[in-house]
């Protein structure tokens, strides 16, 4: 009987031991399977990440290549601005028109400003013929030095009014805010009815945009530019604030109905894709209707009027992106 119980105990013990071993083996197998699954998932994730990174690199490379297809050109810094008064009818005030010309000479800002002022002198005595030198300090202060033979005091009141407007308008477009006058080394000069003055604040009228203005009454006239303020066009928004850069270009596409003497300076042939100013840099992206005839003269006129417009916003550069030609032209000021 005792032997029977011992045998029964041995059988139960053997059964229990076998069951435990099976459970441990099953658990180990499950743990091993989970570990292999995690390793597999990690490998797949790393492979997917590498694939994404490769895709990103390809995208960047494509984008870079697309941008690099645009041919870039930086124009010379020299530009000239000529002022001319045009009379429409008798007994009406003359209108100051402007002409803009980007030169290819490597001069200086001072020389450009001097040449612009001398060429814009319409006084009977050509008072600026005795302007010997122009120097610009700090980018905003200009000294005008005359010879002892100067004749600034000879101007009539009408001549002085027109002369002062021309002087301040052109000086402003060269970034000058204050003028100082010298005769030789001596400060001060006598100007028309104003008498002796040593300095003048450049107080140009607020303006946004430029429009085409005929310089002669013919079937095919030449055009200069007139400011939006002079033309009587809208330069403020509904809140009384000056138009921003993009709004200004939109306004330059049309003129008021009774503004028969002036014409839009940006016509329907030109599509403006965007116009922005960021950190003293203006940028305009545009394209030309390929179905329309577009001449070199029209291209120059568009570039000139956009440069004049950008100058009113006191930027350092204008970037013009021609989507048709895939070119980027940089105009420094």
């Amino acid at each position: 009987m005792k032997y029977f119980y011992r045998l029964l105990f041995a059988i139960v013990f053997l059964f229990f031991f076998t069951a435990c071993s099976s459970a441990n083996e099953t658990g180990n197998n499950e743990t091993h399977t989970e570990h292999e699954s995690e390793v597999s998932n990690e490998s797949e994730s790393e492979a997917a990440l590498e694939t994404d990174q490769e895709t990103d690199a390809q995208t960047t490379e494509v984008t870079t290549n697309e941008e690099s297809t645009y041919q870039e050109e930086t124009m010379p810094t020299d530009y000239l601005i000529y002022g001319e008064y045009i009379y429409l009818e008798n007994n009406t005030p003359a209108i100051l028109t402007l002409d803009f010309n980007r030169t290819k000479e490597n001069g200086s800002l001072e020389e450009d400003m001097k040449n612009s002022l001398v060429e814009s002198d319409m006084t009977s005595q050509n008072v600026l013929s005795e302007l010997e030198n122009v120097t610009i300090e700090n980018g905003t202060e200009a000294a005008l030095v005359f010879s002892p033979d100067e004749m600034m005091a000879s101007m009539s009141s009408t001549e002085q009014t027109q002369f002062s407007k021309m002087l301040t308008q052109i000086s402003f477009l060269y970034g000058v805010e204050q003028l100082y006058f010298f005769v030789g080394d001596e400060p001060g000069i006598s100007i028309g009815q104003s008498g002796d003055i040593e300095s003048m604040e450049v107080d140009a009228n607020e303006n946004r945009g430029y429009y085409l203005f005929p310089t002669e009454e013919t079937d095919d006239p030449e055009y200069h530019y007139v400011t939006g303020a002079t033309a009587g066009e809208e330069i403020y928004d509904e809140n009384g604030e000056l138009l921003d850069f993009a709004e200004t270009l939109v306004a330059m596409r049309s003129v008021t109905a009774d503004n028969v003497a002036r014409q839009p300076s940006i016509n329907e042939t030109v599509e403006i894709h965007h116009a922005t100013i960021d950190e003293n840099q203006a940028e305009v992206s545009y394209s030309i209707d390929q179905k329309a005839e577009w001449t070199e003269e029209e291209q120059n006129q568009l570039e000139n009027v956009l440069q004049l417009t950008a100058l009113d916003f006191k930027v350092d550069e204008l970037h013009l992106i021609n989507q048709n030609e895939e070119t980027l032209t940089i105009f420094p000021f």
Side-chain angles (χ1 to χ4, degrees):
M1 190 69 168
K2 183 184 295 185
Y3 176 76
F4 174 78
Y5 283 117
R6 286 179 180 175
L7 180 61
L8 180 61
F9 177 79
I11 292 172
V12 171
F13 178 79
L14 181 61
F15 177 81
F16 178 79
F17 177 79
T18 302
C20 289
S21 297
S22 299
N24 287 337
E25 207 169 298
T26 302
N28 290 336
N29 288 337
E30 290 177 354
T31 302
H32 181 68
T33 302
E34 290 175 358
H35 177 68
E36 287 182 344
S37 177
E38 291 175 359
V39 170
S40 176
N41 289 338
E42 289 177 359
S43 299
E44 291 176 359
S45 298
E46 289 176 357
L49 179 60
E50 290 176 358
T51 301
D52 290 341
Q53 289 174 341
E54 290 175 0
T55 302
D56 290 341
Q58 292 171 357
T59 302
T60 301
E61 184 178 353
V62 170
T63 301
T64 301
N65 289 337
E66 287 179 352
E67 291 178 350
S68 66
T69 62
Y70 281 75
Q71 183 178 354
E72 182 176 319
E73 180 183 11
T74 300
M75 303 299 290
T77 57
D78 295 68
Y79 60 92
L80 300 173
I81 302 171
Y82 301 127
E84 180 180 353
Y85 278 94
I86 303 295
Y87 292 87
L88 291 180
E89 299 175 356
N90 293 331
N91 301 321
T92 59
I95 293 179
L96 176 62
T97 65
L98 300 170
D99 193 17
F100 185 94
N101 182 27
R102 176 75 62 164
T103 71
K104 295 183 179 181
E105 299 177 0
N106 293 319
S108 66
L109 186 66
E110 289 89 345
E111 291 175 348
D112 293 342
M113 181 174 171
K114 176 187 174 183
N115 291 334
S116 294
L117 292 175
V118 171
E119 292 297 323
S120 302
D121 181 9
M122 296 182 65
T123 60
S124 58
Q125 299 294 324
N126 293 325
V127 296
L128 290 179
S129 62
E130 297 301 324
L131 177 60
E132 292 185 331
N133 192 27
V134 173
T135 59
I136 298 177
E137 298 289 340
N138 303 320
T140 60
E141 298 179 344
L144 276 58
V145 182
F146 292 84
S147 77
D149 297 327
E150 58 82 20
M151 298 172 290
M152 296 282 284
S154 64
M155 287 187 290
S156 66
S157 59
T158 300
E159 281 185 328
Q160 183 185 345
T161 299
Q162 294 181 354
F163 175 82
S164 297
K165 184 175 181 179
M166 179 274 294
L167 180 63
T168 55
Q169 181 66 69
I170 291 180
S171 297
F172 172 82
L173 291 172
Y174 278 103
V176 173
E177 299 176 359
Q178 190 77 25
L179 293 170
Y180 296 92
F181 302 97
F182 293 84
V183 176
D185 295 331
E186 296 296 322
I189 196 171
S190 182
I191 299 182
Q193 311 300 307
S194 299
D196 296 335
I197 63 172
E198 292 187 3
S199 65
M200 174 189 296
E201 182 179 357
V202 176
D203 188 19
N205 292 333
E206 290 184 327
N207 180 63
R208 287 293 182 264
Y210 291 80
Y211 297 81
L212 298 182
F213 196 95
T215 58
E216 53 188 4
E217 294 183 4
T218 64
D219 293 335
D220 186 23
E222 293 185 358
Y223 289 93
H224 285 179
Y225 307 104
V226 62
T227 66
T230 301
E233 296 297 331
E234 190 60 61
I235 64 173
Y236 301 99
D237 63 19
E238 57 185 11
N239 298 318
E241 300 291 334
L242 284 169
L243 299 177
D244 64 24
F245 190 52
E247 292 169 338
T248 299
L249 299 191
V250 171
M252 289 162 59
R253 289 185 173 278
S254 61
V255 295
T256 53
D258 60 345
N259 219 337
V260 293
R262 299 174 279 278
Q263 294 184 13
S265 53
I266 302 177
N267 61 37
E268 65 278 0
T269 304
V270 183
E271 179 181 357
I272 303 294
H273 300 288
H274 73 256
T276 59
I277 290 181
D278 184 24
E279 296 183 354
N280 274 357
Q281 176 181 300
E283 180 176 283
V284 177
S285 175
Y286 71 97
S287 60
I288 306 299
D289 186 352
Q290 295 182 342
K291 296 180 180 179
E293 182 180 353
W294 186 251
T295 66
E296 182 178 356
E297 181 181 359
E298 289 174 313
Q299 179 66 29
N300 290 335
Q301 179 261 307
L302 176 65
E303 292 177 356
N304 289 343
V305 78
L306 290 178
Q307 289 176 79
L308 274 173
T309 302
L311 283 172
D312 276 342
F313 289 86
K314 299 183 178 181
V315 297
D316 296 329
E317 290 182 346
L318 170 64
H319 292 201
L320 290 187
I321 302 173
N322 186 328
Q323 299 288 1
N324 300 92
E325 303 294 335
E326 294 189 344
T327 59
L328 166 59
T329 307
I330 300 174
F331 298 94
F333 299 116

Coordinates of all heavy atoms in Angstrom, one line a residue, residues 13-74:
F13 N 3.9 14.2 -9.6 CA 5.0 15.1 -9.6 C 5.5 15.2 -11.0 O 5.8 16.3 -11.5 CB 6.1 14.6 -8.7 CG 7.3 15.5 -8.7 CD1 7.3 16.7 -8.0 CD2 8.4 15.1 -9.4 CE1 8.4 17.5 -8.0 CE2 9.5 16.0 -9.4 CZ 9.5 17.2 -8.7
L14 N 5.6 14.1 -11.7 CA 6.1 14.1 -13.1 C 5.2 14.9 -14.0 O 5.6 15.6 -14.9 CB 6.3 12.6 -13.6 CG 6.8 12.5 -15.0 CD1 8.2 13.1 -15.2 CD2 6.8 11.0 -15.4
F15 N 3.9 14.7 -13.8 CA 2.9 15.4 -14.6 C 3.0 16.9 -14.4 O 2.9 17.7 -15.3 CB 1.5 14.9 -14.3 CG 0.4 15.7 -15.0 CD1 0.1 15.4 -16.3 CD2 -0.3 16.7 -14.3 CE1 -0.9 16.1 -17.0 CE2 -1.3 17.4 -15.0 CZ -1.6 17.1 -16.3
F16 N 3.1 17.3 -13.1 CA 3.2 18.8 -12.8 C 4.5 19.4 -13.4 O 4.5 20.5 -13.9 CB 3.2 18.9 -11.3 CG 3.3 20.3 -10.8 CD1 2.2 21.2 -10.8 CD2 4.6 20.8 -10.3 CE1 2.3 22.5 -10.4 CE2 4.6 22.1 -9.9 CZ 3.6 23.0 -10.0
F17 N 5.6 18.7 -13.3 CA 6.9 19.2 -13.8 C 6.8 19.4 -15.4 O 7.3 20.4 -15.9 CB 8.0 18.2 -13.5 CG 9.3 18.6 -14.0 CD1 10.1 19.5 -13.4 CD2 9.8 18.0 -15.2 CE1 11.3 19.9 -13.9 CE2 11.1 18.4 -15.7 CZ 11.8 19.4 -15.0
T18 N 6.2 18.4 -16.0 CA 6.0 18.5 -17.5 C 5.2 19.7 -17.9 O 5.4 20.4 -18.8 CB 5.4 17.2 -18.0 OG1 6.2 16.1 -17.6 CG2 5.2 17.2 -19.5
A19 N 4.1 19.9 -17.1 CA 3.2 21.0 -17.4 C 3.9 22.4 -17.2 O 3.8 23.3 -18.1 CB 1.9 21.0 -16.5
C20 N 4.7 22.5 -16.2 CA 5.4 23.8 -16.0 C 6.4 24.0 -17.1 O 6.6 25.1 -17.5 CB 6.1 23.7 -14.6 SG 5.0 23.8 -13.2
S21 N 7.1 23.0 -17.5 CA 8.1 23.1 -18.5 C 7.5 23.6 -19.8 O 8.0 24.5 -20.5 CB 8.8 21.8 -18.7 OG 9.5 21.4 -17.6
S22 N 6.3 23.1 -20.1 CA 5.6 23.5 -21.3 C 5.2 24.9 -21.3 O 5.3 25.7 -22.3 CB 4.4 22.6 -21.5 OG 4.7 21.2 -21.7
A23 N 4.7 25.4 -20.1 CA 4.3 26.8 -19.9 C 5.5 27.7 -20.1 O 5.4 28.7 -20.8 CB 3.7 26.9 -18.6
N24 N 6.6 27.4 -19.5 CA 7.8 28.2 -19.7 C 8.3 28.3 -21.1 O 8.7 29.3 -21.6 CB 9.0 27.7 -18.8 CG 8.7 27.9 -17.3 OD1 7.9 28.8 -17.0 ND2 9.3 27.1 -16.5
E25 N 8.2 27.2 -21.8 CA 8.6 27.2 -23.2 C 7.7 28.0 -24.0 O 8.1 28.8 -24.9 CB 8.6 25.7 -23.7 CG 9.6 25.4 -24.8 CD 9.7 23.9 -25.0 OE1 10.1 23.2 -24.1 OE2 9.3 23.5 -26.1
T26 N 6.4 27.9 -23.7 CA 5.4 28.7 -24.5 C 5.7 30.2 -24.3 O 5.7 31.0 -25.2 CB 4.0 28.3 -24.1 OG1 3.8 27.0 -24.3 CG2 3.0 29.2 -24.9
G27 N 5.9 30.6 -23.0 CA 6.2 32.0 -22.6 C 7.4 32.5 -23.3 O 7.5 33.6 -23.9
N28 N 8.5 31.6 -23.3 CA 9.7 32.1 -24.0 C 9.5 32.3 -25.5 O 10.1 33.2 -26.1 CB 10.8 31.0 -23.7 CG 11.3 31.0 -22.3 OD1 11.1 32.0 -21.6 ND2 11.8 29.9 -21.8
N29 N 8.8 31.3 -26.1 CA 8.5 31.5 -27.5 C 7.7 32.7 -27.8 O 8.0 33.4 -28.8 CB 7.7 30.2 -28.0 CG 8.5 29.0 -28.0 OD1 9.8 29.1 -28.1 ND2 7.9 27.8 -28.0
E30 N 6.7 33.1 -27.0 CA 6.0 34.3 -27.2 C 6.8 35.5 -27.0 O 6.8 36.5 -27.8 CB 4.8 34.4 -26.2 CG 3.7 33.3 -26.5 CD 2.6 33.4 -25.5 OE1 2.8 34.1 -24.5 OE2 1.6 32.7 -25.6
T31 N 7.7 35.5 -26.0 CA 8.6 36.7 -25.8 C 9.5 36.8 -27.0 O 9.8 37.9 -27.5 CB 9.4 36.5 -24.5 OG1 8.5 36.3 -23.4 CG2 10.3 37.7 -24.2
H32 N 10.1 35.7 -27.4 CA 11.0 35.8 -28.6 C 10.3 36.3 -29.8 O 10.8 37.1 -30.6 CB 11.5 34.3 -28.8 CG 12.5 34.3 -29.9 ND1 13.8 34.9 -29.9 CD2 12.5 33.7 -31.2 CE1 14.4 34.7 -31.0 NE2 13.6 33.9 -31.8
T33 N 9.0 35.8 -30.0 CA 8.2 36.3 -31.2 C 8.0 37.8 -31.1 O 8.1 38.5 -32.1 CB 6.9 35.5 -31.2 OG1 7.2 34.1 -31.3 CG2 6.1 36.0 -32.4
E34 N 7.6 38.3 -29.9 CA 7.4 39.7 -29.7 C 8.7 40.5 -30.0 O 8.7 41.6 -30.6 CB 6.9 40.0 -28.3 CG 5.5 39.5 -28.0 CD 5.1 39.7 -26.6 OE1 6.0 40.2 -25.8 OE2 4.0 39.3 -26.2
H35 N 9.8 40.0 -29.5 CA 11.1 40.7 -29.7 C 11.4 40.8 -31.2 O 11.8 41.8 -31.7 CB 12.2 40.0 -29.0 CG 13.6 40.6 -29.2 ND1 13.9 41.8 -28.7 CD2 14.6 40.1 -29.9 CE1 15.1 42.1 -29.1 NE2 15.6 41.1 -29.8
E36 N 11.2 39.6 -31.9 CA 11.5 39.6 -33.3 C 10.5 40.6 -34.1 O 10.9 41.3 -35.0 CB 11.2 38.2 -33.9 CG 12.3 37.2 -33.5 CD 12.1 35.8 -34.1 OE1 10.9 35.6 -34.6 OE2 13.0 35.1 -34.1
S37 N 9.3 40.7 -33.6 CA 8.3 41.6 -34.2 C 8.8 43.0 -34.0 O 8.7 43.9 -34.9 CB 6.9 41.4 -33.6 OG 6.0 42.3 -34.1
E38 N 9.3 43.4 -32.8 CA 9.7 44.7 -32.5 C 10.9 45.1 -33.4 O 11.0 46.2 -34.0 CB 10.1 44.9 -31.1 CG 8.9 44.9 -30.1 CD 9.3 44.9 -28.7 OE1 10.5 44.9 -28.4 OE2 8.4 44.9 -27.8
V39 N 11.8 44.1 -33.5 CA 13.0 44.3 -34.3 C 12.6 44.6 -35.8 O 13.1 45.4 -36.5 CB 14.0 43.2 -34.2 CG1 15.1 43.3 -35.2 CG2 14.6 43.1 -32.8
S40 N 11.7 43.8 -36.2 CA 11.2 43.9 -37.6 C 10.6 45.2 -37.8 O 10.8 45.9 -38.9 CB 10.2 42.8 -37.9 OG 9.7 42.9 -39.2
N41 N 9.7 45.7 -36.9 CA 9.0 47.0 -37.0 C 10.0 48.1 -37.0 O 9.9 49.1 -37.8 CB 8.0 47.2 -35.9 CG 6.8 46.3 -36.0 OD1 6.5 45.8 -37.1 ND2 6.2 46.0 -34.9
E42 N 11.1 48.0 -36.2 CA 12.1 49.1 -36.1 C 12.8 49.1 -37.5 O 13.1 50.2 -38.0 CB 13.1 48.8 -35.0 CG 12.5 49.1 -33.6 CD 13.5 48.7 -32.5 OE1 14.6 48.3 -32.8 OE2 13.1 48.9 -31.3
S43 N 13.1 48.0 -38.0 CA 13.8 47.9 -39.3 C 13.0 48.5 -40.4 O 13.5 49.3 -41.2 CB 14.2 46.5 -39.6 OG 15.0 45.9 -38.7
E44 N 11.7 48.2 -40.4 CA 10.8 48.8 -41.4 C 10.7 50.3 -41.2 O 10.7 51.0 -42.2 CB 9.4 48.2 -41.3 CG 9.4 46.7 -41.7 CD 8.0 46.1 -41.5 OE1 7.1 46.8 -41.0 OE2 7.9 44.9 -41.8
S45 N 10.6 50.8 -40.0 CA 10.6 52.2 -39.7 C 11.8 53.0 -40.2 O 11.7 54.0 -40.8 CB 10.3 52.5 -38.2 OG 9.1 51.9 -37.8
E46 N 13.0 52.4 -39.9 CA 14.2 53.0 -40.3 C 14.3 53.0 -41.9 O 14.7 54.0 -42.5 CB 15.4 52.2 -39.8 CG 15.6 52.4 -38.3 CD 16.7 51.5 -37.7 OE1 17.3 50.7 -38.5 OE2 17.0 51.6 -36.5
A47 N 13.8 51.9 -42.5 CA 13.9 51.9 -43.9 C 12.9 52.9 -44.5 O 13.3 53.6 -45.5 CB 13.4 50.5 -44.4
A48 N 11.7 53.1 -43.9 CA 10.8 54.1 -44.4 C 11.3 55.5 -44.2 O 11.2 56.4 -45.0 CB 9.4 54.0 -43.6
L49 N 12.0 55.7 -43.0 CA 12.6 57.1 -42.8 C 13.7 57.4 -43.8 O 13.8 58.5 -44.3 CB 13.2 57.1 -41.4 CG 13.9 58.4 -40.9 CD1 12.9 59.6 -41.0 CD2 14.5 58.3 -39.5
E50 N 14.5 56.4 -44.1 CA 15.6 56.6 -45.1 C 15.0 56.9 -46.5 O 15.4 57.7 -47.2 CB 16.5 55.3 -45.2 CG 17.4 55.1 -44.0 CD 18.2 53.8 -44.0 OE1 18.0 53.1 -45.0 OE2 18.9 53.6 -43.1
T51 N 13.8 56.2 -46.8 CA 13.2 56.4 -48.0 C 12.6 57.9 -48.1 O 12.7 58.6 -49.1 CB 12.0 55.4 -48.3 OG1 12.6 54.1 -48.2 CG2 11.3 55.7 -49.6
D52 N 12.0 58.3 -47.0 CA 11.5 59.7 -46.9 C 12.6 60.7 -47.0 O 12.4 61.7 -47.7 CB 10.7 59.9 -45.6 CG 9.4 59.1 -45.5 OD1 8.9 58.7 -46.6 OD2 8.9 58.9 -44.4
Q53 N 13.7 60.5 -46.4 CA 14.8 61.4 -46.5 C 15.4 61.5 -47.9 O 15.7 62.5 -48.4 CB 15.9 61.0 -45.5 CG 15.6 61.2 -44.0 CD 16.6 60.6 -43.1 OE1 17.4 59.8 -43.5 NE2 16.6 61.1 -41.8
E54 N 15.4 60.3 -48.5 CA 15.9 60.3 -49.9 C 14.9 61.1 -50.8 O 15.3 61.9 -51.7 CB 16.0 58.9 -50.5 CG 17.2 58.1 -49.8 CD 17.2 56.6 -50.3 OE1 16.3 56.3 -51.1 OE2 18.1 55.9 -49.9
T55 N 13.6 60.9 -50.5 CA 12.6 61.7 -51.3 C 12.7 63.2 -51.1 O 12.7 64.0 -52.0 CB 11.2 61.2 -50.9 OG1 11.1 59.8 -51.1 CG2 10.1 62.0 -51.7
D56 N 12.9 63.6 -49.8 CA 13.1 65.0 -49.5 C 14.3 65.5 -50.2 O 14.3 66.7 -50.7 CB 13.2 65.2 -48.0 CG 11.9 64.9 -47.2 OD1 10.9 65.0 -47.9 OD2 11.9 64.7 -46.0
A57 N 15.4 64.8 -50.2 CA 16.6 65.3 -50.8 C 16.4 65.4 -52.3 O 16.9 66.4 -52.9 CB 17.8 64.2 -50.6
Q58 N 15.7 64.5 -52.9 CA 15.4 64.6 -54.4 C 14.5 65.9 -54.6 O 14.8 66.6 -55.6 CB 14.7 63.4 -54.9 CG 15.6 62.1 -54.8 CD 14.8 60.9 -55.1 OE1 13.6 60.9 -55.3 NE2 15.5 59.7 -55.2
T59 N 13.5 66.1 -53.8 CA 12.6 67.2 -53.9 C 13.4 68.5 -53.8 O 13.3 69.4 -54.6 CB 11.5 67.2 -52.9 OG1 10.8 66.0 -53.0 CG2 10.6 68.4 -53.1
T60 N 14.3 68.6 -52.8 CA 15.1 69.8 -52.7 C 16.0 70.0 -53.9 O 16.2 71.1 -54.4 CB 16.0 69.7 -51.4 OG1 15.2 69.5 -50.3 CG2 16.8 70.9 -51.2
E61 N 16.6 68.9 -54.4 CA 17.5 69.0 -55.5 C 16.7 69.5 -56.7 O 17.2 70.4 -57.5 CB 18.1 67.7 -55.8 CG 19.1 67.7 -56.9 CD 19.8 66.4 -57.1 OE1 19.5 65.5 -56.3 OE2 20.5 66.2 -58.1
V62 N 15.5 69.0 -56.9 CA 14.7 69.5 -58.1 C 14.3 70.9 -57.9 O 14.5 71.7 -58.9 CB 13.4 68.6 -58.1 CG1 12.4 69.2 -59.2 CG2 13.7 67.2 -58.5
T63 N 13.9 71.3 -56.7 CA 13.5 72.7 -56.5 C 14.7 73.6 -56.7 O 14.6 74.7 -57.4 CB 13.0 72.9 -55.0 OG1 11.9 72.1 -54.8 CG2 12.6 74.4 -54.8
T64 N 15.9 73.2 -56.2 CA 17.1 74.0 -56.4 C 17.4 74.1 -57.9 O 17.8 75.2 -58.4 CB 18.3 73.4 -55.7 OG1 18.0 73.3 -54.3 CG2 19.5 74.2 -55.8
N65 N 17.3 73.0 -58.6 CA 17.6 73.0 -60.0 C 16.6 73.9 -60.8 O 17.0 74.6 -61.7 CB 17.5 71.6 -60.6 CG 18.7 70.8 -60.2 OD1 19.7 71.3 -59.8 ND2 18.5 69.4 -60.2
E66 N 15.3 73.9 -60.4 CA 14.4 74.8 -61.0 C 14.7 76.3 -60.8 O 14.6 77.1 -61.7 CB 13.0 74.5 -60.5 CG 12.4 73.2 -61.0 CD 11.0 72.9 -60.4 OE1 10.6 73.6 -59.6 OE2 10.4 71.9 -60.9
E67 N 15.1 76.6 -59.6 CA 15.4 78.0 -59.3 C 16.7 78.4 -60.0 O 16.8 79.5 -60.5 CB 15.6 78.2 -57.8 CG 14.3 78.0 -57.0 CD 14.6 78.2 -55.5 OE1 15.8 78.1 -55.1 OE2 13.6 78.3 -54.8
S68 N 17.6 77.5 -60.2 CA 18.9 77.8 -60.8 C 18.7 78.0 -62.3 O 19.6 78.5 -63.0 CB 19.9 76.7 -60.6 OG 19.5 75.5 -61.2
T69 N 17.6 77.6 -62.9 CA 17.4 77.8 -64.3 C 17.1 79.3 -64.6 O 17.2 79.7 -65.8 CB 16.2 77.0 -64.8 OG1 15.0 77.4 -64.1 CG2 16.4 75.5 -64.6
Y70 N 16.8 80.1 -63.6 CA 16.5 81.5 -63.8 C 17.9 82.2 -64.0 O 18.7 82.2 -63.1 CB 15.7 82.2 -62.7 CG 14.3 81.9 -62.8 CD1 13.8 80.6 -62.5 CD2 13.4 82.8 -63.2 CE1 12.4 80.3 -62.7 CE2 12.0 82.6 -63.4 CZ 11.5 81.3 -63.1 OH 10.2 81.0 -63.2
Q71 N 18.1 82.9 -65.1 CA 19.3 83.6 -65.3 C 19.3 84.9 -64.6 O 18.4 85.7 -64.8 CB 19.5 83.8 -66.8 CG 20.8 84.5 -67.2 CD 21.0 84.7 -68.7 OE1 20.2 84.2 -69.5 NE2 22.1 85.4 -69.1
E72 N 20.3 85.1 -63.8 CA 20.4 86.3 -62.9 C 21.3 87.4 -63.5 O 22.4 87.0 -63.9 CB 20.8 85.9 -61.5 CG 20.8 87.1 -60.5 CD 21.1 86.6 -59.1 OE1 20.6 85.6 -58.7 OE2 21.9 87.3 -58.4
E73 N 20.9 88.6 -63.4 CA 21.7 89.7 -63.9 C 21.5 90.9 -62.9 O 20.4 91.3 -62.6 CB 21.3 90.1 -65.3 CG 22.2 91.3 -65.8 CD 21.7 91.8 -67.2 OE1 20.6 91.3 -67.7 OE2 22.4 92.5 -67.8
T74 N 22.6 91.5 -62.5 CA 22.6 92.7 -61.7 C 23.0 93.9 -62.5 O 24.1 93.9 -63.1 CB 23.6 92.5 -60.4 OG1 23.2 91.4 -59.7 CG2 23.5 93.8 -59.6

